[in-house]
Structures are given as C-alpha cells and as structure tokens.
Amino acid sequence: MKTLGYYNGRIGELDEMSVPMLDRGAYFGDGVYDASMCAGYIIHNLEEHLDRFYRSAALLNIEVPCAKETLRTLLCELVHRLDEPEQFVYWQVTRGTAPRGHAFPNVPANLWIMLTPEKLVPLTKEYRLISVPDTRFAHCNIKTLNLIPSVMAYQQAVSKSCDETVFHRNGFVTECAHSNIHILHHSVLVTHPADHHILAGIARAHLIRMCEHLSIPVLEKPFTLEELREADEVIITSCSDLCIRARELDGQLIGGKAPVLLKQLQDALWQEFLDSTKTLEIAPDWGQIQLVKRMILQNNINPKRPDLVEK
C-alpha cells in the first residue's frame, strides 16, 4: 500500500476511506491525537507517544476503545503494510459518533490511524521563523484536535516563505505552531517549563535528557523574544525535527554562535534515533497479536508479516 487509513477496524488507502459525518471530531474537534516517525518499520519512541496519547485522552474524559498494549501491537503491525519503511504514523481518538450536542454522548470512542511515507527533516536544514502573539486556549498541554490557531499561525509562516511560527505571551516565548523551541546560551539549554502553556513534546524530553547525558546544563524557565534573538543557538524539535537550528526570526539573523555544541547534540540525537529504530524495544505479546488479528483480518487484507498469518 502507498498510504493507509484505519477507522474502527476498516482499512484502506487514505483517499478511499470515509468517516461518518456525525463523528464528533468533525463538528467539535472532540478528540486527541499523537504521532511519530517510523524508520525500518520501527516506530520511534512509541511507548512515550502512547503514554502521552492515553494521558491526553484521560484529561478529556475520553476512553480509548482498546488497551495500550493492543494499540501498540496494532500500530506495529499496520506500518508493515506500507511499501515504504520510512513513514509518518498518526493516530487519534474521537469521543464517538452521535447527533450534534455539546453534552458527552454515551457511545464508544472512534479510533483513527493514518500512515503516509515521510522522512525526517535533515539535521542540516536551518529554519526561518516568524513570531505571533499566542492567542490559544489554556489547555495547550493536551494534544487536542482543536488546532485552528496553530493552523492559522503556521500559514502566516508559509505565506512569508518561512518554516515555523513562534508563539509568545506577554513577551515570553511558549512554543511553535507544531513544534517546541529552545535556546542555547552560554552553553546552557533553556526551554519553557512543561506547563499548560505548551505541549511538552517527546523530542523535547529527549533533547533535555541528551543535554544531561552530555553534561550540558538545562534550565526549564520562560525566556523572552529578546533572549531568543540574542541566544547562541535556537533549536526546534518535534517528532520529525530531532534538533533543527533556526537562523532567522522576523527577517533578522539569529543563532549560529555555538556550532560545535549544536552539532554534538544533533549527532547524539541522530545516533539515538538510529539505535532505537534498529530493533523492537518490546518483545511481541502474542496474546495482543491474536487480538489485533481478529480486529483487522476480518477486512480480508493479507498482512505482509508472515508471523501474523493464521497458522
């Protein structure tokens, strides 16, 4: 398959899939999502992304329709159905299908999965940024489907031939439209605290841990736009941006003053990515595999992996 869509057990190419108009994700954005990159048919940092997914769902009182172990097995099986081993793996849960009404309906949640071929952003890329006031709501820590403010902000960057938009509140930088932002200054990494003003990214956590491993001090505190402009380096992170340098903000050059330290971080994070996608970090749970087989083989789609074929 070139792409893959999954919806409550139905599977097909993305452009052939459809969902009910009464899915609450369609008219309320009532759901949460998560995503990661896949290399060699191995999903990068899957456990951490699953933990955040179930945590986000719990914060919105959404019950994911399968256990974490089942979803893990399902995702690991589905990525093998694509022709390309390098993929963007996206999944979401919505509160269910019911006539439009603000109160929570008593219906089961809907599980979506979408897979598309995609590669990591090359670490040699340098981002151009713009800044805009952060007018989003006060639950940025939940990976909700309500992303219109981020969509509008990112489109402003695109319209100016830039790569990302930096949000700021009262002069302090929070995060970007779809990534986290950090600065290196005087050999110290400074990053916004993991509070309700930002979505604490998995890549952000790995950057912090790598700094600690390399004996680079870390300060989790707000920093200003002026501090960003004066920083030695500005770093963008997300699931597809392991550690990308930013070199321009609102048309002015920034960063570029600590290339050796930045390269050390980039090389270490790249090696970590390679190591984590060489082998499965978790041994297969054959009970979960059997459950997943019952969920998806009813669609009469033959899996590529021989270990999942009925014996």
Side-chain angles (χ1 to χ4, degrees):
M1 301 178 72
K2 301 297 183 184
T3 64
L4 184 146
Y6 173 100
Y7 186 81
N8 291 345
R10 291 188 290 111
I11 297 175
E13 292 280 353
L14 281 174
D15 59 1
E16 298 172 356
M17 294 292 289
S18 61
V19 298
M21 289 183 67
L22 292 180
D23 187 303
R24 284 176 66 93
Y27 49 75
F28 282 137
D30 190 0
V32 299
Y33 76 101
D34 221 296
S36 186
M37 301 299 292
C38 176
Y41 295 107
I42 304 297
I43 304 172
H44 185 47
N45 296 330
L46 178 56
E47 281 306 297
E48 292 164 271
H49 285 281
L50 285 174
D51 286 345
R52 183 173 63 181
F53 178 67
Y54 279 84
R55 185 166 60 249
S56 290
L59 288 170
L60 290 186
N61 295 318
I62 296 176
E63 184 176 351
V64 181
C66 61
K68 185 188 302 182
E69 295 77 12
T70 305
L71 180 55
R72 178 200 302 130
T73 304
L74 177 61
L75 291 168
C76 290
E77 197 281 329
L78 290 179
V79 297
H80 283 80
R81 295 171 180 254
L82 257 63
D83 300 334
E84 296 293 332
E86 294 181 282
Q87 305 167 27
F88 178 65
V89 183
Y90 174 99
W91 62 96
Q92 71 179 38
V93 63
T94 61
R95 200 178 300 276
T97 303
R100 189 181 187 280
H102 286 69
F104 295 174
N106 185 23
V107 295
N110 296 322
L111 179 64
W112 310 41
I113 299 171
M114 288 172 275
L115 309 179
T116 54
E118 189 170 324
K119 298 180 184 295
L120 279 174
V121 175
L123 291 177
T124 54
K125 184 174 176 63
E126 296 183 344
Y127 274 4
R128 302 176 62 204
L129 311 175
I130 66 167
S131 61
V132 301
D134 191 345
T135 59
R136 300 171 300 164
F137 68 158
H139 296 290
C140 299
N141 57 308
I142 305 174
K143 206 166 175 69
T144 172
L145 301 180
N146 293 276
L147 296 176
I148 283 297
S150 294
V151 168
M152 298 300 290
Y154 183 68
Q155 184 58 39
Q156 289 186 54
V158 171
S159 67
K160 296 179 180 179
S161 299
C162 291
D163 302 288
E164 183 56 295
T165 300
V166 180
F167 287 124
H168 57 89
R169 293 177 187 247
N170 302 317
F172 287 95
V173 172
T174 50
E175 58 184 345
C176 294
H178 57 84
S179 53
N180 290 129
I181 185 167
H182 330 267
I183 60 174
L184 280 171
H185 201 49
H186 300 312
S187 300
V188 176
L189 180 82
V190 185
T191 185
H192 195 285
D195 58 18
H196 61 284
H197 289 311
I198 75 165
L199 179 70
I202 305 302
R204 172 188 178 274
H206 279 255
L207 174 66
I208 291 172
R209 288 202 290 268
M210 190 58 70
C211 283
E212 294 169 349
H213 176 71
L214 297 174
S215 299
I216 300 171
V218 176
L219 287 178
E220 293 191 62
K221 73 176 191 68
F223 55 90
T224 66
L225 278 171
E226 190 59 32
E227 288 174 311
L228 188 153
R229 293 188 182 98
E230 296 176 355
D232 295 335
E233 297 288 356
V234 178
I235 296 173
I236 303 296
T237 61
S238 71
C239 69
S240 59
D241 303 318
L242 292 182
C243 184
I244 302 297
R245 165 190 269 165
R247 288 290 279 128
E248 181 183 307
L249 176 66
D250 296 328
Q252 297 181 343
L253 284 178
I254 55 174
K257 304 170 189 173
V260 175
L261 186 59
L262 177 63
K263 185 67 161 53
Q264 185 182 16
L265 275 170
Q266 289 178 326
D267 289 347
L269 289 165
W270 176 243
Q271 188 60 52
E272 181 187 58
F273 175 81
L274 292 178
D275 291 342
S276 70
T277 53
K278 283 180 181 176
T279 57
L280 281 170
E281 298 176 355
I282 299 173
D285 183 327
W286 294 106
Q288 294 299 327
I289 287 176
Q290 295 301 317
L291 178 59
V292 167
K293 284 165 61 178
R294 291 195 294 271
M295 291 171 63
I296 61 178
L297 293 184
Q298 62 186 0
N299 295 280
N300 297 317
I301 300 177
N302 294 321
K304 290 184 176 181
R305 284 177 51 184
D307 60 335
L308 291 179
V309 177
E310 288 284 352
K311 297 180 179 179

